[in-house]
Amino acid sequence: DAKTTQPPSMDCAEGRAANLPCNHSTISGNEYVYWYRQIHSQGPQYIIHGLKNNETNEMASLIITEDRKSSTLILPHATLRDTAVYYCIEPNAGGTSYGKLTFGQGTILTVHP
Amino acid sequence: DGGITQSPKYLFRKEGQNVTLSCEQNLNHDAMYWYRQDPGQGLRLIYYSQIVNDFQKGDIAEGYSVSREKKESFPLTVTSAQKNPTAFYLCASSKDRVSGEKLFFGSGTQLSVL
């Protein structure tokens, strides 16, 4: 089972920032947190990952709390095309084999005009 | 362009029939994965392969089989033993065992039972 906790759904107005929270209270010291998103009927897309420092790329920013028990994915200017399911993933949470990702149910983000 | 190609996009299976889903990648990735997704649910790992000629069962391997004879290819066979095969199947790859968490996904195959 996934060890991350995310709200099942969130809404955001187009052009505004979307802030998606994730709790990963059982994460170990050397494990990264990964974020993916899945647009309907497509394969998931990698967004960003981080260990303990805040990260930013062309898609999003990732803010990780100092105790690493939670993080927030920020889409700074959400567009209608950002409507998707967003997954926060703690690698190996579901097992012992390296590279085995466990996807939970994620957060359904709906961006409104 | 480099990427992962899954085919077909839609597939129909008759009762008692085995079907094979294709997954090809030209990213030169060592590791490949198969996931199953049911409506409104997250992804569940079926099988994964870290290297050619080697693969391991995931969380829901029963009723499925795979092969990894070439680095580029990781076909999934849904056998007649899989009693509830209707789902969206996703293939993914990653560069290697170390970077296993950064996955690149195909566009998926929707399998339905007639």
Side-chain angles (χ1 to χ4, degrees):
Chain A
D1 292 335
K3 292 186 178 180
T4 59
T5 305
Q6 298 177 254
S9 63
M10 294 184 66
D11 290 338
C12 179
E14 188 177 20
R16 302 296 294 270
N19 298 290
L20 291 89
C22 177
N23 289 325
H24 33 80
S25 57
T26 61
I27 196 169
S28 63
N30 61 349
E31 283 188 328
Y32 285 79
V33 175
Y34 280 73
W35 283 82
Y36 285 77
R37 74 179 182 183
Q38 185 177 24
I39 296 171
H40 183 62
S41 297
Q42 298 182 20
Q45 175 190 26
Y46 164 83
I47 301 174
I48 198 167
H49 71 283
L51 183 62
K52 55 183 177 182
N53 298 318
N54 297 339
E55 302 287 345
T56 296
N57 63 19
E58 65 278 5
M59 291 184 67
S61 295
L62 177 62
I63 308 297
I64 303 174
T65 58
E66 191 170 344
D67 63 7
R68 300 207 333 114
K69 294 186 182 301
S70 66
S71 61
T72 300
L73 179 75
I74 301 172
L75 308 178
H77 305 287
T79 70
L80 298 179
R81 287 186 292 182
D82 291 322
T83 293
V85 180
Y86 286 78
Y87 297 100
C88 166
I89 298 165
E90 176 189 334
N92 302 317
T96 57
S97 298
Y98 209 108
K100 180 182 173 182
L101 288 188
T102 300
F103 286 73
Q105 296 199 18
T107 296
I108 300 172
L109 174 68
T110 303
V111 181
H112 298 285
Chain B
D1 289 337
I4 299 178
T5 302
Q6 289 188 243
S7 62
K9 180 68 174 176
Y10 300 96
L11 186 59
F12 298 91
R13 193 191 91 166
K14 296 179 181 179
E15 293 289 340
Q17 184 181 44
N18 293 352
V19 293
T20 298
L21 284 62
S22 171
C23 178
E24 303 278 333
Q25 56 99 357
N26 60 4
L27 299 168
N28 198 33
H29 284 173
D30 286 325
M32 297 187 74
Y33 311 80
W34 274 105
Y35 286 89
R36 168 182 171 140
Q37 187 173 35
D38 294 282
Q41 303 295 315
L43 282 67
R44 292 185 290 169
L45 184 64
I46 305 173
Y47 268 99
Y48 63 106
S49 168
Q50 303 282 17
I51 197 169
V52 174
N53 292 322
D54 187 46
F55 49 84
Q56 288 79 40
K57 293 182 179 180
D59 298 317
I60 55 166
E62 186 175 353
Y64 300 96
S65 66
V66 293
S67 63
R68 187 84 187 278
E69 298 177 0
K70 297 187 300 181
K71 187 176 185 177
E72 304 80 23
S73 179
F74 192 40
L76 173 74
T77 297
V78 183
T79 74
S80 57
Q82 172 51 244
K83 298 306 180 186
N84 185 23
T86 297
F88 189 51
Y89 290 86
L90 287 157
C91 179
S93 71
S94 65
K95 182 179 178 182
D96 52 36
R97 181 188 175 103
V98 175
S99 59
E101 294 83 1
K102 188 173 181 179
L103 301 182
F104 294 79
F105 283 85
S107 57
T109 293
Q110 176 63 51
L111 175 63
S112 302
V113 177
L114 292 177

